[in-house]
Amino acid sequence: MNRRSFLLATGAALSGRAFEDNGERASQHRLPVTDSHYERVKSYIEEVPVADYHWASSQAYDRFHDIKYGIRIHWGIYSIAGLKSESWPYLGMSFRQRQEYNQLYRSWNPTGFYANEWLDLFSESGLKMLAFTTKHHEGFSMFDTKTRVRSRANWVAAGGPATQPCDLAYSIMETPLRRDVTRELWQAAQSRGLKIALYFSHPDWYDTDFRPASTEPRAARFTTAGFTGSPGNIRRMHGGRARLRERRMPRRSSCCCKGKRTRLTQ
């Protein structure tokens, strides 16, 4: 019996409550229903994971709790504008500000980024793990995704916001930098023996396949409630997660999203 199972069984016996624990109970992987963040995102986070989704093992939980000391990093095009709370301020922007924000990637060129320098600092500071945001809610991917956005909002179209066809990855590979920083961080972490978790947002505020009334952005008004997912966005979301699993984290680390507890490093 591993430590986690032992503690759960002991706690149940001491409290006089008998329950069956298989180490994979869904309630252990979700925020409490009273959590303020869960209240904001529950309308567009699936309650039942897709069939091929696997929770971290009990052994992975044990290893995570033993790590004790790590760092969580949010870094993306929202850093250009110095936004607080990552891309969340996007929801309060005017239509013109949203249009301008969606073009920031065209000029983003953080040539001063060196994964080895970051990981040297983390390692020298005694950190044992890091969590990195591969995609936040505004939809920009910090890795070489092969999925494509086929429809997006034109927030300044004549007559008001409207959807328009497109064909792009909306990723860091389409910036002047053209470097897969997620892969670089993963490789640097692996070479130093640091664990790495990769955060992947299910919500996507760039791809109009995601929005409710996806053929008309004006109907959504971009609030934090009422989002839904179209089949196209669901395919793209699953494709993005599969790309991370395939290229960057075989058996080592996991995707995650807000609204659910973070999946832990394997």
Side-chain angles (χ1 to χ4, degrees), residues 2 16 105 122 190 263:
N2 61 45
Y105 77 97
F122 299 159
Q190 296 297 297
R263 284 196 64 198

Side-chain angles (χ1 to χ4, degrees), residues 183-258:
R183 183 176 181 82
E184 292 179 24
L185 285 169
W186 185 84
Q187 291 176 330
Q190 296 297 297
S191 67
R192 291 163 178 77
L194 272 69
K195 301 293 186 181
I196 182 169
L198 302 179
Y199 174 113
F200 181 93
S201 169
H202 290 207
D204 191 316
W205 301 333
Y206 186 85
D207 189 337
T208 53
D209 277 341
F210 181 81
R211 297 184 183 87
S214 60
T215 58
E216 182 49 80
R218 285 175 292 184
R221 293 296 181 186
F222 252 20
T223 64
T224 57
F227 286 115
T228 187
S230 74
N233 178 264
I234 292 171
R235 287 192 298 272
R236 180 170 175 262
M237 178 183 71
H238 293 169
R241 292 191 305 197
R243 183 70 177 171
L244 284 171
R245 288 197 300 268
E246 173 189 350
R247 298 193 60 207
R248 268 158 284 278
M249 49 182 187
R251 302 184 302 280
R252 299 294 299 220
S253 49
S254 315
C255 301
C256 58
C257 67
K258 284 194 173 182

Side-chain angles (χ1 to χ4, degrees), residues 21-148:
D21 174 61
N22 61 5
E24 303 294 337
R25 293 184 305 150
S27 61
Q28 295 169 350
H29 303 279
R30 289 172 168 77
L31 294 172
V33 295
T34 55
D35 181 85
S36 60
H37 188 83
Y38 177 74
E39 285 293 324
R40 296 177 68 187
V41 303
K42 65 181 181 181
S43 65
Y44 52 81
I45 297 296
E46 71 273 15
E47 290 298 325
V48 180
V50 294
D52 64 347
Y53 189 87
H54 301 286
W55 299 117
S57 66
S58 295
Q59 291 78 15
Y61 270 86
D62 285 344
R63 289 194 293 270
F64 178 79
H65 286 296
D66 287 339
I67 289 173
K68 306 296 184 183
Y69 187 37
I71 186 170
R72 171 77 175 276
I73 302 171
H74 282 301
W75 184 45
I77 56 175
Y78 40 83
S79 305
I80 305 173
L83 299 181
K84 296 180 179 180
S85 302
E86 303 82 45
S87 64
W88 281 105
Y90 188 92
L91 299 179
M93 292 180 181
S94 67
F95 290 159
R96 179 163 295 279
Q97 288 173 327
R98 292 174 189 171
Q99 190 73 10
E100 292 172 353
Y101 182 95
N102 288 350
Q103 301 302 314
L104 288 177
Y105 77 97
R106 294 178 176 272
S107 59
W108 193 33
N109 194 20
T111 55
F113 166 76
Y114 294 101
N116 285 324
E117 290 184 359
W118 284 26
L119 270 296
D120 282 343
L121 174 62
F122 299 159
S123 182
E124 292 167 3
S125 301
L127 294 168
K128 303 300 183 184
M129 67 84 66
L130 70 148
F132 181 69
T133 302
T134 67
K135 181 170 83 78
H136 206 257
H137 307 327
E138 96 280 48
F140 183 79
S141 294
M142 295 288 289
F143 62 99
D144 184 15
T145 179
K146 299 306 180 186
T147 59
R148 309 293 293 179

